[in-house]
Amino acid sequence: MTHSRRILRLALFGLTPILCLGAEMTAQAGTRIERKAFGKTKSGESVELFTLTRAGAPKVAITNLGGYVVSMLAPDRTGRIGDVTLGFKDLAGYTGDTSYFGCLVGRYANRIAKAAFSLDGKRYALSANNGPNSLHGGPTGFCSRLWTAAVKSGKDGDTLELKYVSRDGEEGYPGTLTATVVYSLREDGGLVIDYSATSDAPTVVNLTNHAYFNLAGEGEGTILDHELQLEADAFTPVDATLIPTGELKPVAETPFDFRKPVAIGARIDAADEQLKFGGGYDHNFVVRGAPGALRLAARVVEKKSGRTLEMFTTEPGVQFYTGNFLDGKVVGKAGKPYLKRGAFCLEAQHYPDSPNQPDFPSAVLRPGQQYRQATVYRLSVTK
Ligand code: GLA
C-alpha cells in the first residue's frame, strides 16, 4: 500500500493524518516479512514460506525447510522483474531436491575425503554420498532438515531467524551443534546471511548457502556469457574426485584467472586437467584479504539485462560452480528445464576437506567458541 493510500484509509477510520504518519514511518521502516503456509513434510510437519521485502532490495522468498532461498526477484535495467535463482514452485520440489537449489548446507559444506576425518586423535566416519567422499553434510544434511523459524522485529524492520539443533552423532559428526542463520535485506540491494553456531563437544563446521543464479532469469539458457570477476589470486586444485590436493595454485596464466572480468564460458572447455575433473568450474578460490572481514569476493554482470550480482563474505574461500551436473532433466518453477551450465553458484566456505588438510584454515569448533560467517549477495543494475 502506498503512503498516501494508507493515510487515506486510516483517515477514513477516524485517525488523524499526523498519527498516521507516525504509524506509517514505523510500519514501513526497513524490511517487512510476510509468512504463509508452504505445505507439510512427509512426516506431517508444517513448513512455512517467508517473503522479505524492502525498498531498493530484491524480493526474497525463503522456506524453513532447509532454509532454501526459493526466489529472488530483481529488476533489469528497464525495470522488468525477473527471478534470478533456480528452484521449485512447491514444497514437493524441495523435498525431492538433489541439487541443493539454494539451501543452507551443513554440517560440513563441500567434500570430506573418503568420508572420514580425525579430531583430537579420534576417527569419525561419515556417509559416502559422492563417490568415495562425503558431500554437503551427507544424505540427511542440513538442507533436508526443518529449521525453527522466528521473525524478529528491530529498528531496521524484520529479520528471519532460522535455528537448527544437530544432535551429537548426526551424520557421523561429533557434538550437539546449535546453528542459527539470520536472513535480512539491506536497502542497497543486499541479501545478508548471518550464520553462527556453538557446539558442546569439539567438531567441524562449514555452513553455506547454495543458491544457483542466472541473472537473465531462472531457466533462461546458460550463464556462459555472464561476466565474472573473482577477487582471488589462487585456487585449490583437486584430484579426479574433486578433493583438494593441498596446493594453493596461482590463477595467473590459467583458465582460473578471473581477476579481471571475463565471460564464464570463455575458457570453460579449454584443454585443462582441472576443468576436465570438474566438468567445468567446480573449484574453491582463495578470497583475497583477511578471513573474518566482510570483503568483496565476486562480481557477475549479465550484460543484456544489466543485472549485476556482488558477493561479499567473511569466509576464506568461495566455491565457484557452473552447474555442470545439471542436464535439463530438472524442470524449474516456471516450467523451464535447467540446462547444463544453466546457473552458477558462489558458495562461501572454508576450503573443501579442511578437516583432513592441516595447512588449510581450520574448520574446528570447540565448546566455548562461536562459529561466525556472514555472506551478502547484492543485486544491482549496471546501466
Ligand atoms: C557443489 C559441488 C558440486 C556439486 C554441487 C551440487 O558445488 O562442489 O560438485 O556437488 O555442489 O550439485
Side-chain angles (χ1 to χ4, degrees), residues 99-100 111 135-136 210 212 242 282 319 321 325 347:
S99 304
Y100 311 89
R111 291 173 179 79
L135 176 67
H136 292 331
H210 206 304
Y212 284 67
L242 302 185
D282 193 353
Q319 184 84 4
Y321 169 60
F325 295 118
E347 305 153 52

Side-chain angles (χ1 to χ4, degrees), residues 151-221:
V151 174
K152 305 263 165 113
S153 297
K155 274 205 297 278
D156 205 27
D158 301 336
T159 58
L160 174 62
E161 184 188 275
L162 299 179
K163 200 174 212 171
Y164 179 64
V165 180
S166 169
R167 64 172 173 77
D168 179 29
E170 189 178 290
E171 281 291 353
Y173 292 95
T176 308
L177 185 91
T178 303
T180 306
V181 176
V182 178
Y183 280 107
S184 61
L185 292 176
R186 288 194 326 209
E187 62 188 352
D188 70 352
L191 171 67
V192 183
I193 316 176
D194 220 309
Y195 305 73
S196 57
T198 54
S199 179
D200 65 0
T203 192
V204 295
V205 59
N206 188 29
L207 304 180
T208 197
N209 179 283
H210 206 304
Y212 284 67
F213 293 95
N214 183 326
L215 300 179
E218 56 89 26
E220 296 294 330

Side-chain angles (χ1 to χ4, degrees), residues 17-318:
I18 288 168
L19 266 179
C20 300
L21 259 179
E24 179 77 10
M25 282 167 71
T26 323
Q28 293 241 316
T31 303
R32 296 172 74 151
I33 300 183
E34 277 174 30
R35 59 198 294 175
K36 64 176 188 194
F38 195 49
K40 284 196 184 338
T41 61
K42 284 186 194 105
S43 50
E45 294 157 308
S46 298
V47 181
E48 288 181 282
L49 188 69
F50 298 83
T51 305
L52 287 65
T53 50
R54 180 173 191 148
K59 181 173 179 176
V60 181
I62 294 161
T63 174
N64 60 327
L65 180 83
Y68 280 88
V69 171
V70 169
S71 60
M72 200 159 172
L73 305 179
D76 67 6
R77 68 162 71 80
T78 69
R80 207 172 59 104
I81 301 295
D83 187 349
V84 298
T85 56
L86 275 56
F88 301 102
K89 65 175 187 314
D90 57 18
L91 186 62
Y94 289 100
T95 52
D97 173 39
T98 55
S99 304
Y100 311 89
F101 281 127
C103 56
L104 295 175
V105 187
R107 184 178 300 200
Y108 198 92
N110 215 307
R111 291 173 179 79
I112 296 183
K114 305 209 164 59
F117 66 97
S118 295
L119 181 57
D120 298 339
K122 213 174 149 202
R123 193 94 180 136
Y124 294 95
L126 312 168
S127 312
N129 61 336
N130 187 247
N133 305 320
S134 169
L135 176 67
H136 292 331
T140 61
F142 290 11
C143 284
S144 66
R145 304 284 174 169
L146 189 65
W147 295 58
T148 304
V151 174
K152 305 263 165 113
S153 297
K155 274 205 297 278
D156 205 27
D158 301 336
T159 58
L160 174 62
E161 184 188 275
L162 299 179
K163 200 174 212 171
Y164 179 64
V165 180
S166 169
R167 64 172 173 77
D168 179 29
E170 189 178 290
E171 281 291 353
Y173 292 95
T176 308
L177 185 91
T178 303
T180 306
V181 176
V182 178
Y183 280 107
S184 61
L185 292 176
R186 288 194 326 209
E187 62 188 352
D188 70 352
L191 171 67
V192 183
I193 316 176
D194 220 309
Y195 305 73
S196 57
T198 54
S199 179
D200 65 0
T203 192
V204 295
V205 59
N206 188 29
L207 304 180
T208 197
N209 179 283
H210 206 304
Y212 284 67
F213 293 95
N214 183 326
L215 300 179
E218 56 89 26
E220 296 294 330
T222 75
I223 44 70
L224 297 173
D225 60 358
H226 287 43
E227 280 190 359
L228 168 70
Q229 180 164 5
L230 269 176
E231 302 297 315
D233 302 309
F235 74 108
T236 52
V238 289
D239 68 15
T241 72
L242 302 185
I243 294 294
T245 60
E247 187 194 353
L248 302 189
K249 188 177 162 79
V251 295
E253 287 160 43
T254 76
F256 293 79
D257 189 353
F258 286 97
R259 290 173 298 175
K260 297 210 170 73
V262 187
I264 290 172
R267 301 159 299 180
I268 200 167
D269 290 319
D272 176 281
E273 186 181 52
Q274 285 300 312
L275 288 171
K276 292 257 163 353
F277 286 158
Y281 297 100
D282 193 353
H283 295 78
N284 172 66
F285 286 75
V286 177
V287 179
R288 195 179 297 137
L294 191 67
R295 63 221 190 279
L296 183 69
R299 188 163 193 273
V300 185
V301 181
E302 199 278 310
K303 283 195 168 153
K304 281 188 218 115
S305 66
R307 289 198 193 92
T308 300
L309 175 76
E310 286 165 313
M311 185 230 190
F312 303 80
T313 187
T314 56
E315 284 299 279
V318 60

Side-chain angles (χ1 to χ4, degrees), residues 353-365:
D353 198 33
S354 295
N356 291 311
Q357 305 256 5
D359 293 339
F360 285 177
S362 172
V364 174
L365 178 69

